[in-house]
Amino acid sequence: MNHRQPSRATLLGVGFVSVTVFLLAWEAVCRTGIVDPLFLPPPSAVGERIVSMLADGSLLANVLASTRRVMTGFIAATVVAIPLGIVLGTSSYARAAFDPILSFLRPLPSMSWIPLSLLWFGISETQKYSIVFMGTFAPALVYVIEATRNVDPLLIRAAKNLGASNAQVMREVILPASLPQILSGMKIILGLSWTCVISAELVAAREGLGFLIMNGKEFFQTEVVVLGMVMISVTVLVTDIVFRAIERKVLRWQA
């Protein structure tokens, strides 16, 4: 029996229909009074709020503020975690020395750093960057260490037997072999960065998507709360698409 795979257009059509049915059902539930719009606004109310906030520029300003904080903290964490993780993944002595520190840092959620960061930096942009950094550094480091340790030791041994120096083994064997897993881990960490920044903005911020959600809650504007949640998902989706494009570019040799 020939089981032909559905085309991309067919799959997109199925996805479009499912989203449309979901939105219509949501609208109907709110419009018929089954659910009070104060607790769950209809999609039409959220859409009207999107249009008004796009018109006055406040929506784009909040999205850009959160994106800037995420990317700054994420890049800072990866710049430190990737080289340190490669060193720890290839050196048993370095790993033994750093493991107790990593074991202490890894279980701490980003929210636990907020009181200290407020004392250190106040309600500033640096405080938001630090929350993203603290919340993502340890997980990023673990991903890099594991990616480096998972490199086939036979490849390393073969390179050394052929006369490769330690620097050549690192450059020609360890880095290319571990890079796909490192990039996959960083993609997950980028999503985690958004969780961190929203946590920071819910507590102490004057702009950003977390601030937008909290502000909507304070004034009982549930359509603003839902709008903030939708924009978080949309922005994460866009950044994930960009990251995938970069990943394909960097790993061209894998295609």
Side-chain angles (χ1 to χ4, degrees):
M1 185 180 293
N2 184 23
H3 295 284
R4 196 172 66 177
Q5 291 292 329
S7 66
R8 181 174 176 80
T10 301
L11 294 176
L12 289 174
V14 171
F16 176 78
V17 170
S18 67
V19 170
T20 302
V21 170
F22 172 74
L23 291 176
L24 289 174
W26 178 4
E27 184 81 22
V29 165
C30 295
R31 292 295 180 185
T32 55
I34 297 175
V35 177
D36 191 331
L38 177 65
F39 299 105
L40 182 65
S44 57
V46 178
E48 291 172 4
R49 180 66 70 166
I50 289 176
V51 172
S52 65
M53 293 187 70
L54 282 173
D56 63 23
S58 59
L59 182 58
L60 183 59
N62 284 301
V63 170
L64 291 177
S66 292
T67 303
R68 182 185 67 248
R69 291 161 181 163
V70 163
M71 296 312 300
T72 302
F74 170 75
I75 291 172
T78 54
V79 164
V80 178
I82 290 177
L84 180 58
I86 292 172
V87 170
L88 296 178
T90 54
S91 171
S92 299
Y93 290 106
R95 193 163 58 251
F98 200 83
D99 260 349
I101 301 172
L102 184 57
S103 298
F104 171 76
L105 293 175
R106 188 170 54 180
L108 295 175
S110 58
M111 289 288 288
S112 66
W113 290 101
I114 290 178
L116 277 178
S117 67
L118 288 171
L119 287 173
W120 293 342
F121 306 113
I123 305 178
S124 65
E125 288 301 294
T126 304
Q127 186 262 342
K128 313 299 182 299
Y129 302 152
S130 69
I131 291 299
V132 177
F133 180 89
M134 294 297 187
T136 57
F137 169 70
L141 187 59
V142 170
Y143 273 113
V144 178
I145 291 172
E146 291 305 311
T148 307
R149 293 185 66 187
N150 286 339
V151 175
D152 190 345
L154 290 178
L155 296 176
I156 299 174
R157 195 175 302 121
K160 289 184 176 179
N161 288 340
L162 291 172
S165 65
N166 289 335
Q168 288 174 322
V169 170
M170 177 67 71
R171 186 175 63 252
E172 304 295 338
V173 179
I174 295 176
L175 287 178
S178 61
L179 190 57
Q181 191 174 343
I182 289 174
L183 289 178
S184 295
M186 293 308 103
K187 190 160 51 181
I188 296 172
I189 297 301
L190 182 57
L192 178 61
S193 300
W194 280 95
T195 303
C196 297
V197 81
I198 297 303
S199 298
E201 291 174 348
L202 285 172
V203 175
R206 297 186 181 90
E207 61 178 350
L209 294 175
F211 165 78
L212 190 67
I213 291 172
M214 183 57 67
N215 199 49
K217 185 270 271 188
E218 293 292 334
F219 291 97
F220 296 98
Q221 297 173 331
T222 46
E223 73 278 6
V224 175
V225 175
V226 175
L227 167 59
M229 296 166 65
V230 169
M231 291 312 302
I232 291 169
S233 295
V234 171
T235 310
V236 171
L237 178 61
V238 171
T239 55
D240 187 60
I241 291 171
V242 173
F243 195 97
R244 287 177 185 273
I246 295 172
E247 186 178 25
R248 287 194 298 269
K249 188 82 170 176
V250 172
L251 301 178
R252 288 195 308 268
W253 48 270
Q254 269 200 329

